[in-house]
Amino acid sequence: MTKTQCALIAASVLLVSSRPALTQAPEAPAQPPDEYSEIAPLATKSLLLDAVLAGSRMVVVGERGHVLLSDDHGKTWRQAKVPTRALLTAVYFHDDKLGWVVGHDETILRSEDGGETWALTHAAPDKEQPLLDVWFKDADSGFAFGAYGTILASSDGGRSWTQQAFDPKPLIERPKPAVSKESDEYLDEGAASDMHLNAVARADDGKLYLVAEAGHLFRSDDEGATWLELPSPYEGSFFGVLPLEGATLLAFGLRGHLYRSEDAGATWRETRTDTVAMLTNGLRIDSQTIVITGLAGSLLVSRDGGRSFELRQQGDRKGMAAALPAGDGRLLVVGESGIKGIEL
């Protein structure tokens, strides 16, 4: 396994060696940064972990604070000047101008010009823990998700952040196992607060889905104010969730495990993938065409709305972290080898 594969796994799987305490996040914006990301000629070949569309512009983020922009469907790229060198893990845009990026050291960046320039609005390097995803319901209200049950909330467009308690209730009540008082206290304290919250996605009906380590899945029916814990079909970690039409969604993660629910996460069935590679991200190209990226060059393609998938094994066996449609039947993927195009 190469060093870059290890870095991709570390960023996605969140192999955090220490357990820092969770404290109240500061409401004031972060201090001006001491360093900016370096403009690197080979940034398009560096480790990249997420990609989104800001209108028609492609925005890609990754190691050393790299943010890359393309206005010609990925044919050419330029690097934005960014006030951090932290590993950036996720990017989200509300529209073609307003967007946010999160990363290690609880780094949060905000852009008002489609990613051309960025402001550092939150950072907590002393905590030594990453944020892994970010989502906004409108131009003002949003959340960042990360290690040890961390949820940061903003009500001013990401200019300031406060920590939100994460206390999900079970969708289906189950009897609690008989345990000692000491064990019961440990379970009450550790169940939700210890989970690394890996990815969030919004369904067309407004429901939010959040996936985490150790087989945990959550749903919010009130735009993130409260959460329900869903029954899980699997004890391994989930790293991606992809809502489809109606109440249908996919959840996927370690060792090629992929599950489908058609009732908003109440029940699940496993879908064959023909791979044991970790699955990292999903993309819904249209109502029938779905793509899921993975490590070791694993690319899953569905032409029937996610009911079945074909494994398109890539010859270079490089890990892929995210994908975007590039037009003319092409797919742009980012990951261990940077940015590359794939013919679908």
Side-chain angles (χ1 to χ4, degrees):
M1 181 179 294
T2 67
K3 290 183 179 179
T4 46
Q5 282 178 316
C6 291
L8 179 56
I9 293 173
S12 301
V13 185
L14 191 57
L15 298 179
V16 181
S17 58
S18 61
R19 179 179 175 146
L22 290 176
T23 57
Q24 183 74 11
E27 296 186 2
Q31 295 297 314
D34 294 327
E35 57 184 17
Y36 282 76
S37 61
E38 294 183 2
I39 301 301
L42 297 180
T44 57
K45 299 187 179 300
S46 63
L47 176 66
L48 300 170
L49 294 180
D50 201 14
V52 298
L53 291 174
S56 60
R57 171 175 292 173
M58 293 179 171
V59 183
V60 174
V61 302
E63 67 175 340
R64 302 189 185 98
H66 289 166
V67 175
L68 303 174
L69 311 174
S70 176
D71 293 317
D72 55 9
H73 305 289
K75 295 180 178 66
T76 61
W77 295 87
R78 65 186 185 280
Q79 187 178 348
K81 186 178 181 181
V82 179
T84 184
R85 294 184 185 177
L87 176 66
L88 303 178
T89 56
V91 54
Y92 181 86
F93 269 80
H94 170 65
D95 52 30
D96 63 339
K97 298 297 183 183
L98 185 58
W100 303 266
V101 170
V102 298
H104 282 210
D105 294 337
E106 282 197 5
T107 298
I108 305 179
L109 304 166
R110 181 179 188 271
S111 177
E112 297 180 353
D113 55 11
E116 296 286 354
T117 60
W118 295 86
L120 179 67
T121 64
H122 176 77
D126 291 343
K127 292 184 179 180
E128 297 181 348
Q129 65 184 24
L131 296 172
L132 298 173
D133 210 352
V134 58
W135 174 83
F136 271 71
K137 69 176 181 180
D138 53 37
D140 296 317
S141 302
F143 303 95
F145 304 87
Y148 304 110
T150 297
I151 300 180
L152 302 181
S154 178
S155 59
D156 58 4
R159 295 177 180 85
S160 64
W161 298 83
T162 56
Q163 187 157 307
Q164 176 173 298
F166 184 52
D167 184 26
K169 307 302 181 186
L171 179 67
I172 302 173
E173 291 287 350
R174 295 189 179 95
K176 293 186 69 173
V179 293
S180 67
K181 183 177 184 296
E182 291 79 9
S183 297
D184 190 45
E185 288 174 350
Y186 172 77
L187 287 172
D188 287 343
E189 178 185 0
S193 62
D194 283 356
M195 298 172 200
H196 305 326
L197 306 178
N198 292 325
V200 66
R202 181 186 184 276
D204 292 341
D205 62 4
K207 290 181 171 62
L208 282 181
Y209 294 93
L210 179 64
V211 295
E213 66 173 346
H216 291 283
L217 306 121
F218 307 95
R219 190 185 80 206
S220 176
D221 298 335
D222 52 13
E223 298 180 313
T226 62
W227 293 90
L228 297 169
E229 182 165 4
L230 303 174
S232 177
Y234 176 57
E235 294 182 354
S237 294
F238 290 103
F239 297 103
V241 58
L242 183 63
L244 304 178
E245 292 183 343
T248 300
L249 67 150
L250 305 174
F252 43 88
L254 283 179
R255 297 191 61 78
H257 285 287
L258 170 63
Y259 296 89
R260 178 185 176 94
S261 173
E262 297 182 349
D263 53 11
T267 61
W268 300 86
R269 64 175 176 82
E270 189 165 10
T271 299
R272 180 175 174 176
T273 64
D274 295 320
T275 182
V276 294
M278 188 183 88
L279 303 178
T280 57
N281 215 322
L283 172 65
R284 183 181 175 189
I285 296 177
D286 56 44
S287 63
Q288 296 300 307
T289 307
I290 295 163
V291 172
I292 294 177
T293 57
L295 298 190
S298 298
L299 183 70
L300 302 178
V301 180
S302 173
R303 301 290 190 181
D304 59 5
R307 294 174 180 82
S308 65
F309 284 85
E310 174 192 356
L311 175 62
R312 303 276 186 89
Q313 185 68 54
Q314 302 302 299
D316 61 8
R317 303 191 70 83
K318 299 293 186 180
M320 294 174 284
L324 289 176
D328 298 326
R330 293 174 58 249
L331 191 69
L332 181 140
V333 298
V334 302
E336 177 186 347
S337 60
I339 302 170
K340 67 177 182 180
I342 295 176
E343 296 291 336
L344 278 180

